[in-house]
């Protein structure tokens, strides 16, 4: 039997509607500052999407575009100014930054209570200990999808393939907090198939088309495909061989339309939380 397709588009729309309603009921105006440095076309598209989401939810957004050669000092001064603005509750610096900027230094300049990406060391630590206001948007979006589809990680074996600081590691932590038994795999993991086949919940966050094939998936597993890969045919694909794996899995996320829109919705949720509403 073919798997249930986990519809991130539909759920993200629902979440954004709920956020809009909460904002109206609370009579507040959350503000998100989006900072972009340089001319990277993909980054500008991402920032456009985030501002569109803000408009949909009734969140005030301001875009600060700096030239690639503006310099770290100017960027840090802007972040300092935004840290001190009462009408700005969330600050997001679009990554990657151009050469010559220290991403970690820039991230650390953001006030932790406005760090809606949850990338500052303080927020990373808070996610680690399980006492957090913001969790990184992509892994948190995955948790919301699971919850919506009635999938409780407690007692299940969750295998996360990928160990980046923004996806793999925080994903593993969020699963652990929900009482899953967690295994993290990466490029040096031998016998990947042996491990992925043990997964009740398999999260692929690598960036390699068709890395996860049907023989790597246990029958009835929940398969979450975080990756976004642009193929030479111009289309987007995840890490998972979707057509074959959907015949083995119980649930599966499509690419596009699965985790991607959830990431965007959770950014709105984090901004709402930063403004003091849950
Ligand atoms: P990174 O490149 O930072 O991390 C990739 C991870 O995959 C690394 O830990 C790497 O291991 C591991 N890896 C590489 N090759 C293999 C392999 N053959 N077998 C097992 N593990 C392997 O990527 P990100 O975490 O930033 O992103 C992962 C994917 O998710 C990308 O496609 C990205 O575009 C997408 N993404 C999607 C988002 C969304 O909103 N849906 C948001 C963010 C990212 P090692 O550490 O050993 O190098």
């Amino acid at each position: 039997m073919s798997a249930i397709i986990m519809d991130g588009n539909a759920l993200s729309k629902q979440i954004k509607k709920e956020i809009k309603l909460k904002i109206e009921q609370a009579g507040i105006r959350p503000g998100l500052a989006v900072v972009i440095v340089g001319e990277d076309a993909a980054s500008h598209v991402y920032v456009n999407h985030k501002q569109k989401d803000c408009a949909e939810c009734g969140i005030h957004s301001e875009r600060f575009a700096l030239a690639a050669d503006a310099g770290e000092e100017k960027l840090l001064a802007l972040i300092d100014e935004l840290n001190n603005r009462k009408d700005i509750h969330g600050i997001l610096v679009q990554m990657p930054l151009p050469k010559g900027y220290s991403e970690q230094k820039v991230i650390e300049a953001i006030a932790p209570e406005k760090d809606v990406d949850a990338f500052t060391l303080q927020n990373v630590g808070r996610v680690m200990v399980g006492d957090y206001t913001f969790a990184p948007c992509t892994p948190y979006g995955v948790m919301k999808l699971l919850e919506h589809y009635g999938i409780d990680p407690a007692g299940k074996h969750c295998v996360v393939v990928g160990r980046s600081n923004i996806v793999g590691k925080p994903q593993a932590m969020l699963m652990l907090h929900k009482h899953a038994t967690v295994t993290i795999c990466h490029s040096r993991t031998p016998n990947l198939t042996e491990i992925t086949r043990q997964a009740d919940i398999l999260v692929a966050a690598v960036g390699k088309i068709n890395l996860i094939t049907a023989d790597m998936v246990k029958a009835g597993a929940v398969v979450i495909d975080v990756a976004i890969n642009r193929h030479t045919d111009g289309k987007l694909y995840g890490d998972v061989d979707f057509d074959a794996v959907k015949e083995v899995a119980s649930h599966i996320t499509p690419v596009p339309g699965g985790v991607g829109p959830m990431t965007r919705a959770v950014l709105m949720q984090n901004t709402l939380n930063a403004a003091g509403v849950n």
Side-chain angles (χ1 to χ4, degrees):
M1 206 174 69
S2 205
I4 293 170
I5 311 295
M6 300 170 88
D7 188 346
N9 277 330
L11 181 56
S12 70
K13 274 187 195 141
Q14 187 186 317
I15 290 172
K16 285 190 276 183
K17 262 192 200 159
E18 286 165 10
I19 291 172
K20 186 170 193 279
L21 196 67
K22 282 183 188 169
I23 289 172
E24 283 165 6
Q25 283 169 347
I28 55 162
R29 193 164 183 254
L32 177 68
V34 188
V35 181
I36 181 159
V37 185
E39 294 307 324
D40 180 65
S43 294
H44 277 270
V45 170
Y46 292 141
V47 165
N48 290 345
H49 286 157
K50 288 167 187 174
Q51 290 204 278
K52 186 171 158 276
D53 291 334
C54 284
E56 259 178 65
C57 293
I59 292 174
H60 164 70
S61 76
E62 275 182 51
R63 183 187 192 117
F64 298 86
L66 301 187
D69 62 0
E72 202 170 85
E73 222 169 278
K74 198 166 176 191
L75 177 57
L76 294 174
L78 171 62
I79 293 172
D80 187 47
E81 188 190 316
L82 296 169
N83 281 341
N84 288 301
R85 271 182 55 180
K86 294 224 163 8
D87 59 333
I88 293 295
H89 303 88
I91 302 170
L92 182 151
V93 180
Q94 185 65 41
M95 299 292 168
L97 290 171
K99 277 202 181 107
Y101 293 80
S102 157
E103 291 190 348
Q104 199 53 45
K105 192 171 172 191
V106 168
I107 288 167
E108 284 309 305
I110 300 170
E113 66 277 13
K114 297 192 178 188
D115 169 32
V116 285
D117 265 336
F119 289 167
T120 58
L121 292 176
Q122 182 173 323
N123 285 326
V124 170
R126 290 188 64 177
V127 167
M128 178 91 179
V129 297
D131 172 21
Y132 51 86
T133 310
F134 314 121
C137 298
T138 299
Y140 192 32
V142 168
M143 300 314 285
K144 283 195 170 285
L145 254 184
L146 292 177
E147 191 186 331
H148 179 75
Y149 282 89
I151 298 156
D152 181 2
K156 303 213 167 70
H157 186 186
C158 173
V159 175
V160 180
V161 189
R163 59 170 164 180
S164 72
N165 290 330
I166 62 165
V167 186
K169 285 181 200 159
Q171 187 71 75
M173 281 303 133
L174 297 186
M175 290 288 184
L176 196 59
H177 295 321
K178 289 288 178 191
H179 314 296
T181 301
V182 182
T183 303
I184 307 176
C185 301
H186 47 79
S187 68
R188 315 279 182 95
T189 303
N191 308 324
L192 186 62
T193 300
E194 225 170 79
I195 300 170
T196 58
R197 281 188 64 82
Q198 295 172 30
D200 302 306
I201 302 174
L202 176 61
V203 181
V206 172
K208 291 206 163 100
I209 295 176
N210 286 346
L211 176 76
I212 307 293
T213 47
D215 60 308
M216 298 171 78
V217 177
K218 179 164 83 174
V222 175
V223 179
I224 306 288
D225 196 349
V226 171
I228 304 174
N229 305 302
R230 175 84 57 188
H231 193 270
T232 45
D233 67 7
K235 291 190 192 150
L236 293 180
Y237 295 87
D239 286 342
V240 176
D241 179 0
F242 182 84
D243 288 336
V245 171
K246 79 173 174 9
E247 301 307 323
V248 180
S250 66
H251 294 73
I252 189 167
T253 59
V255 178
V259 176
M262 292 304 298
T263 299
R264 287 169 53 183
V266 166
L267 175 65
M268 300 297 107
Q269 177 68 53
N270 282 353
T271 305
L272 180 70
N273 295 349
V277 177
N278 283 313

